[in-house]
Amino acid sequence: MEFAWSEQDAAFRRELVAFLDRELADWQRSETGLGSAVYSEFSRAFVGKLADKGWLTPHWPPEYGGGGQGAWQHFVLGEEMWKRGEPRGPQYMNVNWVGPALIKYGTEQQRRTLLPPIARGEVFWCQGFSEPEAGTDLAALRTRAVREGDGFVLNGQKIWTSYANVADYCFLLARTGSTASGRAGISVFLLPLDTPGVEVRRISGLVGEHSFNELFLTDAWIPAECLLGEENEGWRIVRRTLAYERVGAPRYARAALVLDRLAERCREAGLFGDEGIQEQFGAARAQCEAARVLVYRVIDERAKAKEPSPLANQARAAMVLAERAVGDLAVDVLGSEALAEGELGDAQFRNSLGAGIAAGSYEVQLNLITRLILKLPKD
Ligand SMILES: Cc1cc2nc3c(=O)[nH]c(=O)nc-3n(C[C@H](O)[C@H](O)[C@H](O)COP(=O)(O)OP(=O)(O)OC[C@H]3O[C@@H](n4cnc5c(N)ncnc54)[C@H](O)[C@@H]3O)c2cc1C
């Protein structure tokens, strides 16, 4: 087993780090939230520069604007972005899972129309899955899509839709089967957000004032070309999509960096004399490393073109633990001042709360690990 980076990957990281140090010298992640106007304006300009270098979608096929590179290069990119607070903004969703879903399930027409603008960094997408009565139990969703003429009429409500206020499209789940059809009656729609009948309302939230939104759909008509895959095939698409999303953000990379900065603070304040604190640091470092290695197993599967597996659930759970360990440690060693706006523990602590809920909660990941990896009975 070889754990070292190839010379090619290492050289790519060096070049990337030098570029980011230059481009992001004056930038700090906006604490007003990923969906804020300031943040998304910055992201739009920044991803254009990445696209010019072929570093926005390096892992996509060249015919759709990608660089034809492997999964590892894409992941090195993700690690360096996440360490810096994800300057790609909402674009990280496009490149991690929206694009790959379009490549896998889209028609040639959808690929040719929708992928190049993502690869050029010109559009943002958001994810319209959750509803007020359908979060963990996603198959209970009630937003309806009914055939009318050459298209569908959408009615319903989505909630917690990150970045909908700045997005151009929504990757939307809606029910096309009967009310009782469960997973078998769900379809995916590629919804342009400027469609008449679509209304976005902001929700203030813990992860940032401008991050969450509700999406209201009232008799919103879209052409049949907006359907992704077959009608009622949505569940299969969404399972794959979530596997990509779960490890899309290398959260351990940011957590490890915050941990290093916390260690510096503690050293300066002479706090390492306390054995308890030393122990907490050791445990948090181990969590970050465990998460990193478990995520690498998923990327290794991807690089070998294997189908997504439950290793993604394991890796996600480990990342949540790593984020929580560092967020809790910040509060333990720095006290409540760690959570003051812009302070070291602030974004970390809030991220760690969100990480255990988004893309399937921590408890749901544990359920899936027991069922799919440990093969324990469901009840
Ligand atoms: C930062 C962040 C960003 C998000 N972005 C988006 C987005 O862009 N688009 C979108 O559609 N959604 C988004 N969400 C919503 C997210 O997907 C849901 O919050 C999540 O699926 C949980 O659903 P819920 O909030 O309805 O909680 P519930 O499903 O009501 O769960 C509440 C609690 O009960 C636990 N629980 C529920 N069922 C079980 C079970 N069977 N076994 C054990 N425990 C269980 C859960 O673990 C959780 O702790 C985001 C959430 C966060 C925090």
Side-chain angles (χ1 to χ4, degrees):
M1 198 175 288
E2 174 59 84
F3 280 101
W5 290 100
S6 71
E7 184 39 45
Q8 193 191 3
D9 289 332
F12 170 62
R13 194 188 290 268
R14 282 194 296 275
E15 195 187 345
L16 177 66
V17 166
F19 169 81
L20 295 178
D21 285 349
R22 247 188 349 265
E23 290 296 331
L24 300 177
D26 301 324
W27 181 74
Q28 279 190 326
R29 177 190 160 121
S30 161
E31 297 305 337
T32 53
L34 297 182
S36 71
V38 174
Y39 193 90
S40 48
E41 267 168 38
F42 174 87
S43 296
R44 278 188 200 265
F46 175 70
V47 294
K49 293 180 190 171
L50 279 181
D52 288 346
K53 291 190 78 71
W55 288 350
L56 190 56
T57 52
H59 55 309
W60 289 12
E63 61 268 35
Y64 304 122
Q69 302 288 329
W72 285 110
Q73 197 188 31
H74 167 56
F75 214 71
V76 168
L77 207 111
E79 280 188 342
E80 294 305 326
M81 295 297 160
W82 203 255
K83 274 185 200 167
R84 288 160 176 82
E86 194 45 89
R88 290 174 298 183
Q91 269 284 349
Y92 80 90
M93 297 209 291
N94 294 359
V95 301
N96 285 331
W97 63 264
V98 175
L102 295 176
I103 292 169
K104 172 98 180 145
Y105 298 102
T107 60
E108 198 48 29
Q109 170 69 16
Q110 285 169 335
R111 293 183 191 138
R112 298 246 166 246
T113 319
L114 298 171
L115 291 171
I118 298 181
R120 292 193 297 267
E122 292 168 357
V123 290
F124 289 151
W125 283 68
C126 63
Q127 181 196 71
F129 290 5
S130 306
E131 298 185 4
E133 302 300 326
T136 299
D137 186 12
L138 190 55
L141 65 87
R142 288 193 284 199
T143 292
R144 286 209 64 86
V146 177
R147 276 206 179 260
E148 190 181 293
D150 294 339
F152 291 85
V153 176
L154 301 170
N155 278 289
Q157 183 197 345
K158 296 289 168 181
I159 193 166
W160 312 125
T161 325
S162 310
Y163 326 120
N165 56 316
V166 291
D168 305 285
Y169 292 91
C170 181
F171 194 97
L172 183 95
L173 294 187
R175 185 160 300 287
T176 34
S178 69
T179 315
S181 57
R183 297 173 179 186
I186 293 172
S187 301
V188 175
F189 292 92
L190 311 170
L191 169 71
L193 282 176
D194 59 0
T195 302
V198 176
E199 189 196 344
V200 174
R201 291 186 205 157
R202 289 186 182 181
I203 314 173
S204 291
L206 193 64
V207 289
E209 205 180 324
H210 302 286
S211 291
F212 288 133
N213 303 274
E214 290 172 299
L215 199 64
F216 292 89
L217 304 157
T218 312
D219 293 331
W221 185 87
I222 47 172
E225 298 90 83
C226 292
L227 175 69
L228 180 69
E230 299 294 320
E231 197 169 328
N232 296 327
E233 196 199 13
W235 196 255
R236 195 156 68 91
I237 298 177
V238 96
R239 278 186 58 181
R240 194 183 171 86
T241 303
L242 282 173
Y244 271 76
E245 191 194 2
R246 276 175 188 138
V247 295
R251 293 168 167 273
Y252 57 83
R254 174 104 183 142
L257 202 78
V258 173
L259 189 64
D260 287 345
R261 291 191 185 145
L262 272 175
E264 262 170 50
R265 285 270 194 98
C266 284
R267 214 171 287 120
E268 285 163 12
L271 293 176
F272 274 127
D274 181 331
E275 270 181 32
I277 288 188
Q278 284 195 26
E279 245 179 71
Q280 267 184 290
F281 266 93
R285 170 63 68 197
Q287 301 274 26
C288 291
E289 276 303 287
R292 186 169 72 90
V293 172
L294 288 172
V295 169
Y296 283 7
R297 287 189 68 186
V298 179
I299 307 306
D300 184 51
E301 280 187 336
R302 234 179 253 176
K304 291 172 179 158
K306 293 185 181 168
E307 281 299 296
S309 82
L311 288 180
N313 303 108
Q314 207 171 249
R316 178 73 184 196
M319 280 202 282
V320 172
L321 291 180
E323 283 222 297
R324 285 181 182 170
V326 178
D328 291 350
L329 184 60
V331 179
D332 285 351
V333 297
L334 299 179
S336 55
E337 83 176 62
L339 301 183
E341 201 174 329
E343 251 299 338
L344 200 47
D346 174 29
Q348 181 61 40
F349 191 75
R350 285 188 288 137
N351 274 343
S352 73
L353 294 178
I357 304 171
S361 70
Y362 175 68
E363 291 76 20
V364 168
Q365 306 307 327
L366 297 189
N367 284 350
L368 290 168
I369 291 167
T370 55
R371 204 149 49 81
L372 303 173
I373 298 181
L374 299 175
K375 310 284 183 204
L376 297 180
K378 199 169 176 188
D379 298 311

